[in-house]
Every structure is written in structure tokens, then in C-alpha cells.
Amino acid sequence: MSSYETAIARMYALGHELAQAPSQKFDLEHMRVLLAAMQHPERRFPAVLIAGTNGKGSTAATLASILRASDLRVALYTSPHLARINERIQINSEQISDDDFALLHDLVDRTAERLVVEGDLPWHPSFFEMLTAMAFEYFARRKLDIAILEVGMGGRLDATNVIEPIISVITDISLDHQKFLGNTVAEIASEKAGIIRPGGIVVTLPQQPQANDVIGRTILDLGARGVSAVPFVPPMSPASAQYGVPGAQNKIIARYPLQVMDKEILVESPLIGRHQLRNVALAIATAEELGRKGFPVTAASIERGIRETRWPGRFQVVPATDDKPEYIFDVAHNPAGAWALLSTLSAGYEERSLTFIFGAMRDKAIGEMAEVLFPLADRVIVTRAENPRSAIPEQIREAASRTSAPIEEAPDVAAAITLAGTHARSDQVVVITGSIYIVGEAMRLLGVRI
């Protein structure tokens, strides 16, 4: 086994992300002890920290693309991954190499084991703590201009929250991970608001009243400065179909003029769906603030960066070929994501025959997601990913019992893809959705570039 494969095996031996109940308290103090022993790599680069329930990754990817278009050297740290863990740690769109991954794993692992032996840590860091420490060390060694960091879960106690961000960004908040974060939008919002710093800058958008109240109160309490991305959200109405109609051949969908930095630009985003307009707006507002802080951001680099954004698995359309149907890949891993997918499909695929391949993690609101999505489909195939947190097909069928959709079961993603090809109509579209692990496995099996 290569040193990279050994590192991956050791990482997953720590327990898959969120697989265990929250028996061990999340505690930033442990993360700080680990980073102190590594000479504080997190202090050696400026960073933007992004929290929220949905849209964190899209916002981070768009912002990173804008900053790259501004001729900056930009790191991006996101989670989870579609196919390979290396996707999570990137500089200028290049994933960390297997050799660097193995080297950094070895460094962080040895440091952690020493700290446990010496009694400075009560137990070995978790999968996510290890990966975050590795990312920080990688970024510190690579002489960055800026890092864009996506919070793993929550915010207040997330391993990423040990950094001092120059700007905090909060995307849309809804119910997810209640077992860890709280049972109301207000409780979850207060975890996300944990990334706001005293006297800091926070970029956000109005959303559910409960979330607005908590974020607004936190900004006031900490003397922070709130920046609204509202000026960068285009006017939306049911008639404004030009903002969100899917097209074949991966054509750009969202196209609209916008005033940015006293100039008019044409926003052309490859991220499809009305919900993405909010994420793009957050990225623009953050980029403009960075411009005020001396980063070389211009209206032209914002325009180009948005156009060049790549964020796979988010309403990604792969056109039909002679022997394969049209595929749509979309990570819709909670009810808010399901509603966003419903809205995008309703706008452009009303006349098409839809087959859904769906799988989710056990701890998700599967019944609610099924009630949103399954009525759209002519066929629903439920399956499971190679992940210990996956719900098995029978559990999904049971959770979806209130929908009248005809549900078929497949033991794994490969079998689900095969099943979707049987009795297929010529106008059929196969929508592969739910967990990021389902989408990632399907993309890998179908040879779609990630």
C-alpha cells in the first residue's frame, strides 16, 4: 500500500465524518493545542470564512474564482468531496497531490500522537480536525495571497473557526444536523454566527426571520459591521425566466447586468438555479469588500471570475449521447436543497420524463426530501452510497411512504444506473441526487470529470 493509501486508511479509521453520535465534545481548545505544536500555520495567511446550511461551497467556489481572476494565489478548503479527498484542499484550482497529502498526514498524525502521549490532548483529533490542520499547514507552506475556507458544520465550534478571518460570510440557514447544532433555525443560526468576530466584517443576506434576528443581534453585540449582498441579487419575479432556464450542452444559464464597483458588468454564472443567484451575490459583496481592503479586485475580474467558476455536482447537466440518456447531477442533501432542485427542474424540465436516482445519509430528513422531489418523477430508484452513514434503500422507501411515487430499490449506485437504463424513454432525463456521496459515485462510474 502506498503512503497516500495508508494515510487515507488511517484518516477513515478515525471514524467517518459525523458517523458517531456527538459523544466527544467539539472543542476548539484541542484544535488550538494541535496548531500551536505545529507553530500556528493558521496565522500565516489571510482568510475568508464561510458558514451556512446551503450554498457555502458554491459561494466559496465563486469567490475563489473571482480572486484567481484578480491574479491572486488563492487556496480553497471545502467539504465533503465528490470522489477524492484531495478535492477539499486546492490552490488555484489544483488539488493537493497524493505525495503532499501523505507527507502532511504523517506530520499532523505524529504531532497529535505525541500530544496525546504527553497528556496535552485527551484523545486523537477527529477526521475533520486532522484534515483542517493538514490544509492549514499546506496553505502556510505555499505562500498564498488568500484562503477561502468553508466551515465543515455549524461554525462556533467548527475546526476551521480557530482562524481570524478578515471577512466572515453567512449563507442561507435552514434545519440540518439538528443532532449537533440545535432543533430550531435560531439555535442553528447562533452556531453559524459563531464565526463573526468582535469589530469584524460579516457579509450576509436577509433570510428567515429567526436567522436574521440572531445574526443581527450578534453583529450588534460584537460591534461588527454587517454588509448586505442585496444590491447584487437581481430583481426576481415569476416572469423573469431568463435568470434560470436550464439549457442543453451545459450552456450558461444565469445572465443579467449588474452595477458593481461603479461599473456595469454582465453576470454569466454556470451555476444553475435561482438559489445560486444569492450565492453569487454573497461572493460579489465579499470580493468588493476585499477590494476595499487593498486586494486587486476589479469589476472586470469579478465578471470574469463568475464566468469561470467551476463547482461540479451542482445541477450539472451532461447531455444525452446515442447510448446514454441526459444526466443531471445535483447535491440536494437536505430539504432546502431539495426545494432548490425542485424549483430548477420545474423551470426547465416540465415536459420531460424524469427518473430519479436518490440516496441519503440516515441522519437526514429523508421523508421531507422525498415529499418535495419524488412527485416530480415518473420513476424513483432509491439506493445507498459506500458510506457507513448511508440509509439503506428500505429505510428510504419507508421514510417516503407518504408519497405515491413508484419506488424501485437498487443495492448500490452502479445497479441504480443500470436499472435507470431499462425501460427508458427517448426523452428521459436521469436526475442523480441526494447525498454528495451518491452524486460523486455516480459521476465516477459514468466517467464524468470532477
Side-chain angles (χ1 to χ4, degrees), residues 87-99:
E87 294 165 36
R88 299 171 180 231
I89 302 173
Q90 301 185 15
I91 295 177
N92 279 9
S93 290
E94 273 197 28
Q95 297 173 17
I96 185 173
S97 71
D98 291 0
D99 287 348

Side-chain angles (χ1 to χ4, degrees), residues 103-378:
L103 187 79
L104 290 169
H105 173 269
D106 194 42
L107 169 80
V108 179
D109 198 41
R110 279 202 322 265
T111 306
E113 285 182 350
R114 191 189 83 231
L115 291 167
V116 171
V117 168
E118 292 171 358
D120 294 322
L121 281 180
W123 48 65
H124 193 287
S126 69
F127 174 100
F128 191 73
E129 287 168 334
M130 286 285 294
L131 199 63
T132 303
M134 288 163 61
F136 288 168
E137 181 66 26
Y138 183 63
F139 297 160
R141 291 178 176 197
R142 291 298 170 117
K143 297 290 173 275
L144 302 176
D145 292 308
I146 191 165
I148 311 303
L149 309 174
E150 178 190 351
V151 165
M153 182 185 69
R156 184 173 63 92
L157 296 176
D158 189 79
T160 57
N161 200 32
V162 293
I163 65 139
E164 285 303 315
I166 46 177
I167 298 177
S168 304
V169 183
I170 298 179
T171 69
D172 288 343
I173 294 169
S174 59
L175 293 176
D176 201 2
H177 296 306
Q178 289 97 308
K179 184 170 75 168
F180 299 93
L181 301 178
N183 290 314
T184 66
V185 167
E187 285 175 326
I188 292 174
S190 84
E191 292 295 319
K192 311 287 184 189
I195 69 164
I196 301 172
R197 295 293 185 266
I201 299 170
V202 56
V203 177
T204 188
L205 275 169
Q207 45 179 305
Q208 295 189 51
Q210 286 179 294
N212 292 339
D213 288 350
V214 171
I215 294 165
R217 205 167 51 245
T218 307
I219 289 170
L220 283 173
D221 289 349
L222 294 175
R225 178 163 68 85
V227 174
S228 171
V230 165
F232 306 117
V233 181
M236 292 300 296
S237 72
S240 55
Q242 72 270 27
Y243 293 130
V245 181
Q249 310 302 320
N250 292 340
K251 281 208 293 278
I252 287 168
I253 305 309
R255 180 186 278 124
Y256 46 92
L258 211 55
Q259 282 292 125
V260 174
M261 298 176 105
D262 300 325
K263 291 191 168 61
E264 183 168 289
I265 67 168
L266 185 64
V267 173
E268 294 181 315
S269 174
L271 300 177
I272 300 172
R274 290 183 176 204
H275 59 291
Q276 293 288 10
L277 304 180
R278 291 174 63 81
N279 301 327
V280 170
L282 288 165
I284 295 171
T286 308
E288 197 175 74
E289 282 300 314
L290 288 169
R292 291 197 180 99
K293 286 186 163 291
F295 288 87
V297 175
T298 63
S301 68
I302 289 174
E303 181 177 75
R304 194 178 118 217
I306 293 168
R307 194 170 61 240
E308 292 175 354
T309 303
R310 295 290 169 266
W311 191 229
R314 278 71 182 178
F315 210 91
Q316 183 171 346
V317 181
V318 176
T321 59
D322 291 342
D323 58 340
K324 286 196 181 116
E326 182 174 331
Y327 286 103
I328 293 171
F329 302 92
D330 190 69
V331 175
H333 59 95
N334 56 30
W339 280 111
L341 175 56
L342 168 74
S343 159
T344 311
L345 286 169
S346 302
Y349 285 80
E350 282 174 306
E351 309 302 317
R352 305 286 294 277
S353 165
L354 300 180
T355 293
F356 275 49
I357 294 176
F358 177 88
M361 299 295 108
R362 276 194 309 275
D363 54 351
K364 297 289 181 172
I366 296 171
E368 205 177 325
M369 291 157 72
E371 284 170 38
V372 173
L373 291 174
F374 291 7
L376 281 182
D378 297 314

